[in-house]
Amino acid sequence: MQTISNEPLNTVMLSSSPEDIEKAAEIIRNGGLVGMPTETVYGLAADALNGKAVSKIFKAKGRPGDNPLIVHVAAFEDIEKYNLVKKIPQGAKILADKYWPGPLTIIMEKSDIIPDEVSAGLDTVAVRIPSHKSAAALIRAAGTPIAAPSANLSGSPSPTTAQHVMNDMKGRIEAIIDGGECSVGVESTVITLAGEKPRLLRPGGVTLEQLREALGEVEMDDAVLHKLKDGVKAASPGMKYKHYAPKAEVVIIKGSSKAYIDYVNSHDDENTAALCWEEDIKDLKCKTLSMGKEKDQESQAHRLFDELREIDNDESIKKVFARCPSIQGIGLAVYNRLIRAAGFEVIDLEKI
Ligand code: AMP
Ligand code: MG
């Protein structure tokens, strides 16, 4: 016999009006789950100090239990107020001044108040202050820090619209706040300040160049650009999973516009699509999906996940040739997500 908790929930779509934010806050206070818009991607929100509520996130997403969650607060003072960390490092104050609220997550040594479900057994905790008005309003109204991973089923692209969340989470969560399209479109930058030197674990909207300007030396974890070697422990557990992979095979094609277009036009068939820059579309014969403009890396980040979902929506697409993003600025975040969607398959036309 099924228990009540296994029955599908009636997932309601809420607006970002103060009344609806209050409804969502009540769900959080009662230990339930809410899809929350942020400037990066939609998050799946629960009371971060309630281990039982947090464990529901893992169940709803099908997320492996060893992948820790980011804790969201509304203001810098909240880190001390809720006693989330052992000590706030000087670097966190410098970064907070420049980039919070915003798409940056800082890992610090955790205090005992953080439930094991949140930190997945690590002795650190990831903290972020989102800038999206509805996220900030929800956190304040709930009156508690909010744990929230991306609100997709594990293994699908992160959701950048409320409809994406509904497609993945209908029946699994109580409500979704519709806050429009996410402006950044890729998950937050993750930096750890819990080790000897600051280290970038995941690139995002705050760039490596900006982090280095603020802190001086910042190392880049190997997992940002490369597949983790067998047996190597991931500094950020999320990096060891094959993320965001559409059902179709995705291959990154590295080379000039002309080389890319010639390659795709001579290797396409009716089941091929090109995940390309807007400027390439007019010269390609196969189906095209635009990842934005070649020189506009913010537009690429903004569009990437929606285009990856489009690939899955079109059953006829079996193979995708993707343009290779530049790894400068926010391009590093686009490359980091795309290379995972491609299972690290890259054809370098300059080396052929
Ligand atoms: P998501 O919430 O889906 O954007 O994923 C959060 C990312 O942050 C995952 O890659 C996690 O592995 C990573 N993360 C969260 N907390 C920690 C932590 N304490 N140490 C290292 N990585 C973390
Ligand atoms: Mg995620």
Side-chain angles (χ1 to χ4, degrees), residues 34-112:
V34 174
M36 168 179 81
T38 84
E39 70 279 18
T40 57
V41 300
Y42 273 73
L44 190 52
D47 179 351
L49 304 183
N50 176 347
K52 225 172 126 193
V54 171
S55 66
K56 292 184 192 167
I57 293 179
F58 288 85
K59 199 169 163 215
K61 279 181 61 91
R63 182 176 175 105
D66 66 351
N67 195 0
L69 306 180
I70 296 170
V71 175
H72 298 73
V73 291
F76 192 74
E77 300 73 62
D78 291 351
I79 301 174
E80 269 186 347
K81 179 174 139 193
Y82 292 114
N83 189 26
L84 300 180
V85 302
K86 281 215 172 109
K87 184 173 134 263
I88 299 181
Q90 185 57 24
K93 293 179 188 153
I94 296 171
L95 291 176
D97 261 355
K98 286 186 152 222
Y99 297 113
W100 272 350
L104 175 68
T105 296
I106 303 178
I107 294 176
M108 296 173 264
E109 266 187 88
K110 82 175 187 85
S111 74
D112 295 338

Side-chain angles (χ1 to χ4, degrees), residues 61 63 149-150 152 158 187 202 243-244:
K61 279 181 61 91
R63 182 176 175 105
S150 50
N152 52 296
S158 291
E187 306 87 341
R202 178 174 76 181
H243 262 191
Y244 332 116

Side-chain angles (χ1 to χ4, degrees), residues 322-335:
R323 273 307 291 263
C324 187
S326 138
I327 58 168
Q328 304 302 311
I330 195 172
L332 184 64
V334 179
Y335 182 84

Side-chain angles (χ1 to χ4, degrees), residues 299-317:
S299 77
Q300 295 162 20
H302 182 74
R303 296 188 62 105
L304 179 68
F305 286 136
D306 195 41
E307 297 307 331
L308 292 180
R309 279 181 181 256
E310 276 308 309
I311 294 170
D312 272 343
N313 290 340
D314 186 337
E315 299 267 314
S316 73
I317 301 176

Side-chain angles (χ1 to χ4, degrees), residues 39-214:
E39 70 279 18
T40 57
V41 300
Y42 273 73
L44 190 52
D47 179 351
L49 304 183
N50 176 347
K52 225 172 126 193
V54 171
S55 66
K56 292 184 192 167
I57 293 179
F58 288 85
K59 199 169 163 215
K61 279 181 61 91
R63 182 176 175 105
D66 66 351
N67 195 0
L69 306 180
I70 296 170
V71 175
H72 298 73
V73 291
F76 192 74
E77 300 73 62
D78 291 351
I79 301 174
E80 269 186 347
K81 179 174 139 193
Y82 292 114
N83 189 26
L84 300 180
V85 302
K86 281 215 172 109
K87 184 173 134 263
I88 299 181
Q90 185 57 24
K93 293 179 188 153
I94 296 171
L95 291 176
D97 261 355
K98 286 186 152 222
Y99 297 113
W100 272 350
L104 175 68
T105 296
I106 303 178
I107 294 176
M108 296 173 264
E109 266 187 88
K110 82 175 187 85
S111 74
D112 295 338
I113 208 162
I114 303 292
D116 279 344
E117 288 85 350
V118 169
S119 53
L122 299 176
D123 49 17
T124 53
V125 63
V127 181
R128 180 163 104 83
I129 304 180
S131 65
H132 195 291
K133 286 203 171 59
S134 304
L138 177 64
I139 300 166
R140 282 186 207 283
T144 182
I146 283 186
S150 50
N152 52 296
L153 290 172
S154 268
S156 331
S158 291
T160 54
T161 68
Q163 190 56 49
H164 291 162
V165 182
M166 190 57 103
N167 295 348
D168 278 16
M169 289 296 156
K170 191 169 194 285
R172 295 169 181 258
I173 64 178
E174 279 84 351
I176 300 164
I177 299 171
D178 188 349
E181 268 184 34
C182 301
S183 56
V184 179
V186 291
E187 306 87 341
S188 58
T189 303
V190 178
I191 186 172
T192 179
L193 299 181
E196 258 170 47
K197 287 186 183 151
R199 173 180 282 253
L200 175 73
L201 301 185
R202 178 174 76 181
V206 172
T207 65
L208 181 58
E209 293 86 342
Q210 288 172 320
L211 295 173
R212 285 182 173 154
E213 199 185 306

